Amino acid sequence: MNHTKVLLSIILLSIFLISSSSSTGNESVIDIPMGAETRNGSANDITSDHKSEHLDTLSLIFSDEFEYEGRPDPEKWHYQVVGPAKGHWFNAEKQHYTARPENSYVSDGTLKIRALREKYTSDGITKSFTSARLNSKFAFTYGRVEVRAKLPSPGGTWPAIWTLGANIDETGNYFGSEYGSVGWPACGEIDIMEQRGWDKNTSLGYFHWGNTQTGAYQTEGSTIPNPGSTEEFHLYILQWDEEYMRIYVDDTLVHELSNTTDKPYDNPHYLLLNVAMGGNLGGEIPASFTEGIMEVDYVRVYSN
């Protein structure tokens, strides 16, 4: 009878230990939104007070996964090649943008935007660098933008993932005057990601706009450490609704801006992808520069 009690005690103890080790009822659980990535490329702790929205509450309305070869899909992308400043580009940029495959192409599952050192003449103007500037043929108001990209490493390159109000009516853009003709900065600009040519360990998230009440130019934004941005893919995100606009890198908040009535962020915007050379944020271009490539794994736009 004593042996029976001992055996029963061992069995009960084993059951208790097994159930305790498998229980999760008292554990802290971090709910990682779909699409969230961290610096090492995998979902992990999210430190921002404002978490990205769950994608299961959103609807995908525009995307390019770049699962094809050759030129960027002409149904989705427009080449902007005419410089709006009498054949030049603003901000003292040093390149011509072209529609040539030497400057943009899709291969091995990614879009490549390739800046090159080469003499190139367009409309009688010769420059020493070429690159590509793509406009999406899709405009949207509010939603979530995701662009997974790896940035160019050479100094002097100025990569950008950004939006402009479709009512800008800028020379050579896709929409022309279809949505209006208010110009810049009245159209509003959202810089989801920019990077300086002299600092490849930091990226910027900024807003530029014309005050809807006074017309005055205004700007606001922040920088964020972004080590490994030229070696690994990172996720650049915009969340935009009637109340707020938030820019993230890998689900870490870069900057939040309230969407009040003195700002023009209630109109359709389109997406731009480009690599500029030199200029305000590109800075000095090293004599050793030959080429720099921004790779884009995918572009996705969701409605709220």
Side-chain angles (χ1 to χ4, degrees), residues 196-210:
R196 299 183 180 101
W198 60 90
D199 182 3
K200 297 303 181 180
N201 292 306
T202 305
S203 59
L204 298 78
Y206 264 78
F207 301 89
H208 305 271
W209 71 95

Side-chain angles (χ1 to χ4, degrees), residues 84-124:
K86 298 181 179 179
H88 298 275
W89 295 89
F90 298 117
N91 307 307
E93 297 171 23
K94 305 300 183 185
Q95 79 292 321
H96 274 308
Y97 290 123
T98 85
R100 304 176 307 155
E102 291 90 341
N103 295 119
S104 60
Y105 57 94
V106 177
S107 66
D108 300 320
T110 63
L111 166 70
K112 281 82 170 174
I113 295 181
R114 182 174 177 235
L116 291 171
R117 180 188 289 276
E118 60 173 339
K119 294 289 185 183
Y120 188 84
T121 301
S122 177
D123 294 328

Side-chain angles (χ1 to χ4, degrees), residues 1-10:
M1 188 170 180
N2 288 338
H3 292 291
T4 302
K5 287 183 178 179
V6 170
L7 180 60
L8 181 60
S9 298
I10 293 172

Side-chain angles (χ1 to χ4, degrees), residues 215-267:
Y217 166 68
Q218 295 181 256
T219 184
E220 186 174 318
S222 300
T223 62
I224 185 173
N226 196 7
S229 62
T230 66
E231 300 165 357
E232 302 170 347
F233 285 90
H234 293 268
L235 197 60
Y236 301 97
I237 301 169
L238 166 68
Q239 288 184 183
W240 171 28
D241 60 33
E242 296 92 335
E243 296 182 355
Y244 292 98
M245 294 164 290
R246 297 180 179 119
I247 295 171
Y248 298 83
V249 175
D250 294 338
D251 227 54
T252 298
L253 183 67
V254 180
H255 197 83
E256 176 184 286
L257 183 69
S258 59
N259 195 3
T260 49
T261 56
D262 60 334
K263 303 180 183 73
Y265 294 108
D266 59 355
N267 57 301

Side-chain angles (χ1 to χ4, degrees), residues 58-101:
L58 306 176
S59 299
L60 186 65
I61 55 176
F62 174 84
S63 68
D64 198 335
E65 304 296 322
F66 302 112
E67 295 296 337
Y68 53 90
E69 301 285 321
R71 296 170 65 86
D73 187 344
E75 296 296 317
K76 298 179 178 180
W77 301 104
H78 164 77
Y79 287 104
Q80 189 175 0
V81 299
V82 180
K86 298 181 179 179
H88 298 275
W89 295 89
F90 298 117
N91 307 307
E93 297 171 23
K94 305 300 183 185
Q95 79 292 321
H96 274 308
Y97 290 123
T98 85
R100 304 176 307 155

